[in-house]
Amino acid sequence: MYPSSVPPTPDSFNQVTPLADDNPFAADLALQEAVIREGGADAREFLHARGAEIGSGEMRRRAELANRYPPRFVPFDGNGRRLDAVEFHPAYHELMDYLARHGVSAAPWARPGPGAHVARAALFMLMAQVEGGALCPTTMTFAAVSALRFDAGLAATWLPRIFAARYDARFVPARDKAGVTLGMGMTEKQGGSDVRANTTRAEPAGDRHYVVTGHKWFLSAPMSDAFLVLAQAPGGLSCFLLPRFRPDDTVNAIRLLRLKDKLGDRSNASAEVEFDRAHAELVGEEGRGIATILAMGHLCRLDCVLGTAGLVRGVVVEALHHARHRRAFGRPLDAHPLMQTVLADLALESEAATALALRLARGFDDDEAAARSLRRLLTPAAKFWICKRGPAVAAEAMEVLGGNGYVEEAPLARMYRQLPVNSIWEGSGNIVCLDVLRAIAREPACVDALAAELAAARGGDDRLDAFAAALLRDLARGAGDEAAGRGITQRIAVAVQAALLVRHAPSVVATAFCGSRLGSDTGAGAVFSAAPMPAAAEIVRRAFPET
Ligand SMILES: Cc1cc2nc3c(=O)[nH]c(=O)nc-3n(C[C@H](O)[C@H](O)[C@H](O)COP(=O)(O)OP(=O)(O)OC[C@H]3O[C@@H](n4cnc5c(N)ncnc54)[C@H](O)[C@@H]3O)c2cc1C
């Protein structure tokens, strides 16, 4: 018992009620506008309905549970027989089921058409605001389609089960399942980025079948039904499909060693594995493994952009919500000029990320040559820049909540921990910058497509005109010095963001973005809101309208 002179804990006045039962689509004008202009107008009603579900207290609770009770490795059964299984909280399976049912793992392939990728992209961004772990296997399943299409036989077997939009968590052969998920295994101990150094071996066993022996240092979603894996075949590094079950229905020799103890992404399992003469089938041609799996990688990079843009919006909304309802020094936080300018700067970053993410997604709907060239350059550029901005935005947003932002009860801590992985996996920062330089050096049509994209905004803002002209002048001289790769990549991404905002956003948004991001060669300040932001209140109102 406390002595009577110690007061009890006071009521929680001036503590902000957490966001619950909101609709992240309805509240996001920038996303709604981008969906319409990039060709996804027909999906508005669908996205509205999904937004209400995703923002519900029930979905947020699932997200919390799936992360609070992370997956557990079950190597053996009680009798010592190998199981190599992973147990998940039921909430994780519910999240996976939701994503599959609503087409995040396959809809643009199963039902292609104008706006299909854009609609999926918007849904992906909505979900990323609430839970990121289940999106990883969903992304890999979605992206694997492009690699499987290199082989008509494998495509005929696997694609219908991917397109079925069903999640079936049972550990049984794929042929007995309503729907399947796929993972990928490239990274080995001696190096993930330099896959040519892979040591995993594949010996031919006849009729495009192989026997694979080796390891993978990171293999996410190890309960997937099959994995696309790189291994050294007689003809060089090649891509293989390793199913969890062999054709005779025995469990394939994929041994799980342990699960990674990760900073974030905790609802999703990532394993270290060994292949002990595992059964595999060749995908594409022997020796063309990198090109084959890069088709998948390109789509994973798209999803890194979408996931980060969604998370950025999510953390900014948490900050805006808190600042609107928390009072300090006699008025709401968002009425203080210095806080208002911080919030406006965060809102600008989010709107720019949203605009670029959906512009990129549209590039996967359009299939003419110019669209392919633009997405070739813009995918790695956007992955680099948006994923680099993500953790910085989240740290600043967290600070808006003060101490409450730093505790695990608030979703901000989890969102913050989720962000860096999008930059690390599937081409970490330097690797995607080198990819941008390769595109500039080898595919001049990419630079032409970028020039056309920027030309559409010409005359809208003097600062953008000067920034774009300087960028295109530099690109005309070629890829340039490898050491300058980050600078050029960043400038490409920021220039396209500015061009999109100048063409499509309210002028206060475009003006503030160009004024704060285009002043120097690098395109962004070292901290958010280092200078006053004109029309900050208006920018904040647009980012999070009062309901
Ligand atoms: C949560 C999580 C899940 C993952 N899931 C999977 C998965 O399912 N499947 C899979 O295959 N992998 C997976 N990975 C692994 C991930 O893709 C690799 O960690 C990543 O590709 C980097 O490889 P690495 O760790 O070997 O680092 P390295 O390749 O050693 O790179 C280290 C650093 O050096 C930089 N670097 C490398 N080469 C150059 C160069 N030429 N010039 C300049 N800088 C360079 C890189 O950018 C990076 O910053 C996962 C990783 C994480 C964190």
Side-chain angles (χ1 to χ4, degrees):
M1 287 294 287
Y2 292 108
S4 60
S5 59
V6 177
T9 302
D11 279 347
S12 293
F13 65 89
N14 199 26
Q15 283 284 352
V16 177
T17 307
L19 274 171
D21 292 318
D22 64 321
N23 184 329
F25 186 68
D28 192 344
L29 295 179
L31 179 63
Q32 291 173 35
E33 291 166 9
V35 163
I36 294 167
R37 88 172 160 262
E38 303 300 356
D42 289 350
R44 271 174 301 176
E45 224 174 281
F46 168 81
L47 291 168
H48 232 281
R50 299 294 79 74
E53 291 159 359
I54 288 170
S56 68
E58 193 186 340
M59 193 70 87
R60 291 178 189 279
R61 178 90 182 126
R62 282 185 195 134
E64 198 200 318
L65 288 171
N67 284 276
R68 195 169 288 280
Y69 302 100
R72 193 174 74 88
F73 177 34
V74 191
F76 301 101
D77 71 9
N79 299 315
R81 279 187 286 266
R82 270 209 94 99
L83 277 182
D84 289 306
V86 181
E87 273 180 8
F88 294 86
H89 190 279
Y92 170 84
H93 293 301
E94 288 165 18
L95 291 164
M96 289 293 294
D97 178 69
Y98 185 85
L99 289 166
R101 257 190 303 121
H102 292 295
V104 186
S105 48
W109 312 128
R111 292 182 299 284
H117 277 283
V118 168
R120 172 196 178 266
L123 180 55
F124 195 102
M125 287 171 62
L126 294 175
M127 196 63 182
Q129 296 177 40
V130 176
E131 213 285 316
L135 285 170
C136 168
T138 305
T139 284
M140 292 193 290
T141 305
F142 164 76
V145 171
S146 59
L148 288 170
R149 283 186 164 155
F150 280 89
D151 186 297
L154 288 174
T157 307
W158 288 87
L159 296 192
R161 289 191 186 89
I162 295 177
F163 295 175
R166 299 275 300 277
Y167 175 64
D168 185 339
R170 290 173 305 143
F171 187 29
V172 297
R175 124 159 60 82
D176 300 332
K177 297 182 79 162
V180 295
T181 56
L182 272 82
M184 73 196 297
M186 295 198 281
T187 308
E188 298 189 1
K189 286 178 194 169
Q190 66 279 2
S193 310
D194 187 5
V195 288
R196 289 164 308 179
N198 275 194
T199 59
T200 296
R201 297 187 322 275
E203 301 160 48
D207 195 22
R208 293 181 70 80
H209 289 218
Y210 287 70
V211 170
V212 172
T213 306
H215 82 283
K216 294 293 163 186
W217 185 230
F218 276 90
L219 185 105
S220 289
M223 295 311 286
S224 300
D225 297 286
F227 306 92
L228 290 171
V229 163
L230 287 181
Q232 303 286 0
L237 194 62
S238 310
C239 181
F240 296 92
L241 182 114
L242 267 78
R244 282 309 294 274
F245 288 81
R246 299 187 187 93
D248 65 2
D249 286 357
T250 55
V251 178
N252 203 3
I254 302 171
R255 306 264 180 265
L256 273 53
L257 302 181
R258 59 175 172 161
L259 298 187
K260 299 286 193 189
D261 186 6
K262 296 178 288 184
L263 169 72
D265 194 47
R266 295 183 70 83
S267 65
N268 175 37
S270 301
E272 292 169 24
V273 299
E274 277 177 1
F275 308 128
D276 181 11
R277 296 188 62 75
H279 164 84
E281 285 185 55
L282 181 65
V283 186
E285 291 170 41
E286 257 197 28
R288 298 277 303 151
I290 296 178
T292 307
I293 213 157
L294 257 185
M296 176 175 185
H298 207 55
L299 287 156
C300 291
R301 287 177 184 179
L302 165 68
D303 278 10
C304 290
V305 170
L306 301 176
T308 307
L311 269 164
V312 162
R313 169 69 190 173
V315 297
V316 170
V317 165
E318 291 287 337
L320 294 168
H321 172 72
H322 183 86
R324 180 170 295 163
H325 298 288
R326 173 82 166 181
R327 296 177 70 84
F329 301 96
R331 49 188 169 154
L333 277 177
D334 68 1
H336 293 268
L338 187 53
M339 178 58 91
Q340 202 166 71
T341 195
V342 169
L343 296 170
D345 211 359
L346 293 176
L348 285 183
E349 198 65 38
S350 174
E351 178 150 358
T354 296
L356 178 54
L358 284 204
R359 177 67 188 90
L360 184 63
R362 187 207 182 109
F364 289 82
D365 278 324
D366 300 339
D367 209 35
E368 72 277 13
R372 284 201 299 275
S373 295
L374 188 63
R375 78 179 184 229
R376 166 70 189 91
L377 183 68
L378 217 47
T379 305
K383 182 190 189 281
F384 173 72
W385 183 237
I386 291 182
C387 295
K388 279 278 170 249
R389 293 300 270 170
V393 173
E396 194 67 67
M398 182 184 281
E399 196 166 320
V400 172
L401 274 75
N404 284 3
Y406 197 71
V407 300
E408 289 289 344
E409 279 100 337
L412 253 168
R414 169 156 51 82
M415 293 160 104
Y416 178 71
R417 287 187 280 97
Q418 184 70 24
L419 276 158
V421 69
N422 285 343
S423 193
I424 291 172
W425 90 293
E426 203 44 67
S428 35
N430 289 354
I431 297 300
V432 285
C433 289
L434 293 173
D435 194 34
V436 165
L437 296 186
R438 247 189 322 273
I440 295 166
R442 295 185 194 164
E443 299 175 49
C446 291
V447 178
D448 296 342
L450 174 70
E453 181 74 12
L454 298 179
R458 197 178 295 140
D461 186 288
D462 291 347
R463 290 157 301 191
L464 173 58
D465 289 349
F467 191 85
L471 171 64
L472 292 173
R473 254 195 322 273
D474 288 349
L475 291 177
R477 287 196 282 269
D481 186 359
E482 199 175 290
R486 281 188 173 219
I488 206 85
T489 303
Q490 182 173 327
R491 287 165 66 198
I492 290 169
V494 173
V496 175
Q497 287 182 321
L500 289 166
L501 296 184
V502 163
R503 287 168 67 198
H504 305 296
S507 65
V508 286
V509 170
T511 302
F513 188 86
C514 292
S516 55
R517 267 65 169 178
L518 305 184
S520 71
D521 259 356
T522 53
V527 293
F528 286 98
S529 194
M533 173 91 29
E538 211 175 319
I539 294 169
V540 168
R541 266 199 303 280
R542 169 174 166 79
F544 197 48
E546 300 244 22
T547 46

Coordinates of all heavy atoms in Angstrom, one line a residue, residues 23-26 31-32 34-36 40-54 98 102 115 118-126 358:
N23 N -10.4 5.2 -41.7 CA -10.3 4.6 -43.0 C -9.1 5.3 -43.7 O -9.2 6.5 -44.1 CB -11.6 4.9 -43.8 CG -11.5 4.3 -45.2 OD1 -10.5 4.1 -45.8 ND2 -12.7 3.8 -45.7
P24 N -8.0 4.6 -43.8 CA -6.8 5.3 -44.3 C -6.9 5.7 -45.8 O -6.1 6.5 -46.3 CB -5.6 4.2 -44.2 CG -6.3 2.9 -44.0 CD -7.7 3.2 -43.4
F25 N -7.8 5.1 -46.5 CA -8.0 5.6 -47.9 C -8.8 6.8 -47.9 O -8.5 7.8 -48.6 CB -8.7 4.5 -48.8 CG -8.8 4.8 -50.2 CD1 -7.6 4.9 -51.0 CD2 -10.0 5.1 -50.8 CE1 -7.7 5.2 -52.4 CE2 -10.1 5.4 -52.2 CZ -8.9 5.5 -52.9
A26 N -9.9 6.8 -47.2 CA -10.8 8.0 -47.2 C -10.1 9.3 -46.7 O -10.4 10.4 -47.1 CB -12.0 7.7 -46.3
L31 N -3.5 10.1 -52.0 CA -3.6 8.8 -52.5 C -4.8 8.6 -53.5 O -4.7 8.1 -54.6 CB -3.7 7.8 -51.4 CG -3.8 6.3 -51.8 CD1 -2.5 5.8 -52.6 CD2 -4.0 5.4 -50.6
Q32 N -5.9 9.2 -53.0 CA -7.1 9.1 -53.9 C -6.8 9.8 -55.3 O -7.2 9.2 -56.3 CB -8.3 9.8 -53.2 CG -8.8 9.1 -52.0 CD -9.8 9.9 -51.2 OE1 -10.6 10.6 -51.9 NE2 -9.8 9.8 -49.9
A34 N -4.0 10.3 -56.7 CA -3.0 9.6 -57.5 C -3.6 8.3 -58.1 O -3.3 8.0 -59.3 CB -1.8 9.2 -56.6
V35 N -4.5 7.6 -57.4 CA -5.1 6.4 -57.9 C -5.9 6.8 -59.2 O -5.8 6.1 -60.2 CB -6.0 5.8 -56.9 CG1 -7.0 4.8 -57.5 CG2 -5.2 5.1 -55.8
I36 N -6.6 7.9 -59.1 CA -7.4 8.3 -60.3 C -6.5 8.7 -61.5 O -6.7 8.2 -62.6 CB -8.3 9.5 -59.9 CG1 -9.4 9.1 -58.9 CG2 -9.0 10.1 -61.2 CD1 -10.1 10.2 -58.2
G40 N -6.3 4.1 -62.0 CA -7.0 3.2 -61.1 C -8.4 3.7 -60.7 O -8.9 3.2 -59.6
A41 N -9.0 4.6 -61.4 CA -10.3 5.2 -60.9 C -11.3 4.1 -60.6 O -12.1 4.3 -59.7 CB -10.8 6.2 -61.9
D42 N -11.4 3.1 -61.4 CA -12.4 2.1 -61.2 C -12.3 1.3 -59.9 O -13.2 0.7 -59.5 CB -12.3 1.0 -62.3 CG -12.8 1.6 -63.7 OD1 -13.3 2.7 -63.7 OD2 -12.6 0.9 -64.7
A43 N -11.1 1.5 -59.3 CA -10.9 0.7 -58.0 C -11.3 1.5 -56.8 O -11.1 1.1 -55.6 CB -9.4 0.3 -57.9
R44 N -11.8 2.8 -57.0 CA -12.0 3.6 -55.8 C -13.0 3.0 -54.8 O -12.7 3.0 -53.6 CB -12.6 5.0 -56.3 CG -11.5 6.0 -56.6 CD -12.1 7.2 -57.1 NE -12.8 6.9 -58.3 CZ -13.5 7.8 -59.0 NH1 -13.5 9.1 -58.6 NH2 -14.1 7.5 -60.1
E45 N -14.1 2.4 -55.3 CA -15.0 1.9 -54.3 C -14.4 0.7 -53.6 O -14.6 0.5 -52.3 CB -16.2 1.4 -55.1 CG -17.5 1.7 -54.5 CD -18.7 1.3 -55.4 OE1 -19.0 2.1 -56.3 OE2 -19.2 0.2 -55.1
F46 N -13.7 -0.1 -54.3 CA -13.0 -1.3 -53.7 C -12.0 -0.8 -52.7 O -12.0 -1.4 -51.5 CB -12.2 -2.0 -54.9 CG -11.2 -3.1 -54.4 CD1 -11.7 -4.3 -54.0 CD2 -9.9 -2.8 -54.4 CE1 -10.7 -5.3 -53.6 CE2 -8.9 -3.7 -54.0 CZ -9.4 -5.0 -53.6
L47 N -11.2 0.2 -53.0 CA -10.2 0.7 -52.0 C -10.9 1.3 -50.8 O -10.4 1.2 -49.7 CB -9.3 1.7 -52.7 CG -8.4 1.0 -53.8 CD1 -7.7 2.1 -54.6 CD2 -7.3 0.1 -53.1
H48 N -12.0 2.0 -51.0 CA -12.7 2.6 -49.9 C -13.2 1.5 -48.9 O -13.0 1.6 -47.7 CB -14.0 3.3 -50.4 CG -14.1 4.7 -49.9 ND1 -14.6 5.0 -48.7 CD2 -13.7 5.9 -50.5 CE1 -14.5 6.3 -48.5 NE2 -14.0 6.8 -49.6
A49 N -13.7 0.4 -49.5 CA -14.2 -0.7 -48.6 C -13.0 -1.3 -47.9 O -13.1 -1.6 -46.7 CB -14.9 -1.7 -49.5
R50 N -11.9 -1.6 -48.6 CA -10.7 -2.2 -48.0 C -10.1 -1.2 -46.9 O -9.7 -1.7 -45.9 CB -9.6 -2.5 -49.0 CG -10.0 -3.5 -50.2 CD -10.3 -4.9 -49.7 NE -11.6 -5.1 -49.1 CZ -12.7 -5.2 -49.8 NH1 -12.8 -5.1 -51.1 NH2 -13.9 -5.4 -49.2
G51 N -10.2 0.1 -47.2 CA -9.6 1.0 -46.3 C -10.3 0.9 -44.9 O -9.7 0.9 -43.9
A52 N -11.7 0.8 -45.0 CA -12.4 0.7 -43.7 C -12.0 -0.6 -43.0 O -11.9 -0.6 -41.8 CB -13.9 0.7 -44.1
E53 N -11.8 -1.7 -43.7 CA -11.4 -2.9 -43.0 C -10.0 -2.8 -42.5 O -9.7 -3.2 -41.3 CB -11.5 -4.1 -44.0 CG -12.9 -4.5 -44.5 CD -12.9 -5.2 -45.8 OE1 -11.9 -5.5 -46.4 OE2 -14.1 -5.6 -46.2
I54 N -9.1 -2.3 -43.3 CA -7.7 -2.2 -42.9 C -7.5 -1.3 -41.7 O -6.7 -1.5 -40.8 CB -6.8 -1.8 -44.1 CG1 -6.8 -3.0 -45.1 CG2 -5.4 -1.4 -43.6 CD1 -6.1 -2.6 -46.4
Y98 N -6.2 -12.4 -45.7 CA -6.8 -11.2 -46.2 C -6.1 -10.7 -47.4 O -6.8 -10.3 -48.4 CB -6.7 -10.1 -45.1 CG -7.5 -8.8 -45.4 CD1 -8.8 -8.7 -45.2 CD2 -6.8 -7.8 -46.0 CE1 -9.5 -7.5 -45.5 CE2 -7.4 -6.6 -46.3 CZ -8.8 -6.5 -46.1 OH -9.4 -5.3 -46.5
H102 N -7.8 -10.5 -51.3 CA -8.1 -9.3 -52.0 C -7.1 -9.0 -53.1 O -6.9 -7.8 -53.5 CB -8.2 -8.1 -51.0 CG -9.4 -8.3 -50.1 ND1 -10.7 -8.2 -50.6 CD2 -9.5 -8.6 -48.8 CE1 -11.5 -8.4 -49.6 NE2 -10.9 -8.7 -48.5
G115 N -5.0 0.0 -65.0 CA -5.1 0.3 -63.6 C -5.0 -0.9 -62.6 O -5.1 -0.7 -61.4
V118 N -2.0 -0.4 -60.4 CA -2.2 0.8 -59.6 C -3.1 0.5 -58.4 O -2.9 0.9 -57.3 CB -2.7 2.0 -60.4 CG1 -3.2 3.1 -59.6 CG2 -1.6 2.5 -61.4
A119 N -4.2 -0.2 -58.7 CA -5.2 -0.6 -57.6 C -4.5 -1.5 -56.6 O -4.6 -1.3 -55.4 CB -6.4 -1.3 -58.3
R120 N -3.7 -2.4 -57.1 CA -3.0 -3.3 -56.1 C -2.0 -2.5 -55.3 O -1.9 -2.7 -54.1 CB -2.3 -4.4 -56.9 CG -1.4 -5.2 -55.9 CD -0.4 -6.1 -56.6 NE 0.5 -6.8 -55.7 CZ 1.6 -6.3 -55.3 NH1 2.1 -5.2 -55.7 NH2 2.4 -7.0 -54.4
A121 N -1.3 -1.6 -56.0 CA -0.3 -0.7 -55.3 C -1.0 0.1 -54.2 O -0.4 0.1 -53.1 CB 0.4 0.2 -56.3
A122 N -2.1 0.6 -54.5 CA -2.8 1.4 -53.4 C -3.2 0.6 -52.2 O -3.0 0.9 -51.1 CB -4.0 2.1 -54.0
L123 N -3.7 -0.6 -52.5 CA -4.1 -1.6 -51.5 C -2.9 -2.0 -50.6 O -2.9 -2.0 -49.4 CB -4.8 -2.8 -52.1 CG -5.3 -3.8 -51.1 CD1 -6.2 -3.2 -50.0 CD2 -6.0 -5.0 -51.8
F124 N -1.8 -2.2 -51.3 CA -0.5 -2.6 -50.7 C -0.1 -1.5 -49.7 O 0.3 -1.7 -48.5 CB 0.5 -2.8 -51.7 CG 1.8 -3.5 -51.2 CD1 2.0 -4.9 -51.5 CD2 2.8 -2.9 -50.5 CE1 3.1 -5.5 -51.0 CE2 3.9 -3.5 -50.0 CZ 4.1 -4.9 -50.3
M125 N -0.2 -0.2 -50.2 CA 0.2 0.9 -49.4 C -0.7 1.1 -48.1 O -0.3 1.5 -47.1 CB 0.2 2.2 -50.2 CG 1.3 2.2 -51.2 SD 1.2 3.6 -52.4 CE 1.3 5.0 -51.3
L126 N -2.0 0.8 -48.3 CA -2.9 0.9 -47.2 C -2.6 -0.2 -46.1 O -2.5 0.1 -44.9 CB -4.4 0.6 -47.6 CG -5.0 1.7 -48.6 CD1 -6.4 1.3 -49.0 CD2 -5.0 3.1 -47.8
L358 N 2.9 5.6 -56.9 CA 1.8 5.2 -57.9 C 2.2 5.5 -59.3 O 1.7 4.8 -60.2 CB 0.5 5.9 -57.5 CG -0.2 5.3 -56.2 CD1 -1.7 5.7 -56.3 CD2 0.0 3.8 -56.1

